[in-house]
Amino acid sequence: MKKYLGSCAVAAILLATAGVATARDQIQIAGSSTVLPYASIVAEAFGENTDFPTPVVESGGSGAGRKKLCEGVGENTIDIANSSSRISKADIELCAKNGVAEIQEVRIGYDGIVFASDINGPEYAFTQADWHAALAAKVVKDGKLVDNPNKAWNEIRADLPAQPILAFIPGTKHGTREVFDEKVIIDGCKEDGTYDAHLAANNGDKAAATKACMALRTDGVSIDIDGDYTETLARVAANKNGIGVFGLSFYQNNTDKLRVGTMAGIMPSVETIAKGEYPVSRPLYFYVKNAHLDVVPGLQDYIEFFVSDDMAGPNGPLAAYGLVSDPELAKTQAAVKARTPMGPLN
């Protein structure tokens, strides 16, 4: 399968911009910009190594992809939704409402969320609490909840660079944002004690305290990026003080432009994520509409091809691009072969 590896980067760009398939014998996929390059690599290899047409892979965000998957069953609906966060209860309810009865959840591996600045900028050693203190709408000062006054990173912690706070974070439609909120902002809120202050202010209501933790400042310090990581990279390039939130694989393919920070003393890498050491990592998924498996040519073959050892294994092209191979890949392969629909959310 080595023959296609050299053209994977080009294929990823071409497939990302491909239009809607003109013939419905092509598999149609939409969703996460994080999963996009992996799906594009697999789609090109699938087209080159089988008798089926190359699948059409589009981006648009995890939430948008899952919503499209759940629009219904039929040739005008997509077959697979790529997602960098797990499907939600609301998604499943929408699917059921529109007649999408069985969905497969396919975990393809793991990725990390990294915090990177301009290659020529200072080094950063972050904690989740630093990011909460930088971006939260409310922080604790002298024992009281106040509007966030922090303007520079060294105001949060003296050993951080004396650089203005400016963060480019994923917009709310991105799966990366869900993980950022949960594993950075909420965890940081609990770490720095602000969660307890919100809990007291909300009479012990945990849901309200969590929601308050997630409220970010609106004074231009925290900027949502609705596009993919290339837009975030462009913002960092144009604003040398800015720090962007990226997927590990995107960073690894742009180390000539970006300097990555540590999180809780751990440098993000395939190795630290595989060992469970890096604190801001997440599983990556795609979701399959089972009703299309025997209707769209090659759909079952594509799914099995994607999670094969040759593609998603530790020595495959996805790992070479930055995916952390799933140690339970064999279990996923068996579930895919059996067309096992997902059960209730845990």
Side-chain angles (χ1 to χ4, degrees), residues 322-339:
L323 184 72
V324 178
S325 185
D326 191 340
E328 296 186 339
L329 185 60
K331 185 185 293 186
T332 298
Q333 291 166 347
V336 163
K337 193 171 186 64
R339 303 185 175 193

Side-chain angles (χ1 to χ4, degrees), residues 187-200:
D187 283 0
C189 187
K190 292 177 178 179
E191 184 181 327
D192 67 15
T194 308
Y195 174 82
D196 292 334
H198 283 307
L199 195 62

Side-chain angles (χ1 to χ4, degrees), residues 201-216:
N202 287 279
N203 300 313
D205 187 330
K206 294 181 179 180
T210 299
K211 184 177 180 180
C213 279
M214 290 170 55
L216 303 185

Side-chain angles (χ1 to χ4, degrees), residues 66-67 69-73 79-81 86-97 99-106 285-293 303 335 339-345:
R66 297 195 304 260
K67 185 176 180 180
L69 184 79
C70 293
E71 286 177 349
V73 174
D79 309 304
I80 294 174
R86 203 172 187 209
I87 197 168
S88 70
K89 181 180 178 182
D91 294 324
I92 293 172
E93 290 172 349
L94 179 63
C95 273
K97 178 183 176 182
V100 182
E102 288 191 350
I103 307 165
Q104 280 188 67
E105 179 179 71
V106 182
Y285 305 93
F286 62 78
Y287 292 90
V288 185
K289 194 178 299 178
N290 272 12
H292 285 195
L293 287 174
I303 301 164
R339 303 185 175 193
T340 307
M342 69 179 295
L345 289 175

Side-chain angles (χ1 to χ4, degrees), residues 8 69 76 94 100 131-132 155 163 205 269 275 315 336:
C8 280
L69 184 79
N76 293 324
L94 179 63
V100 182
W131 273 83
H132 179 263
E155 293 176 22
Q163 191 134 312
D205 187 330
S269 68
K275 292 177 182 177
N315 298 312
V336 163

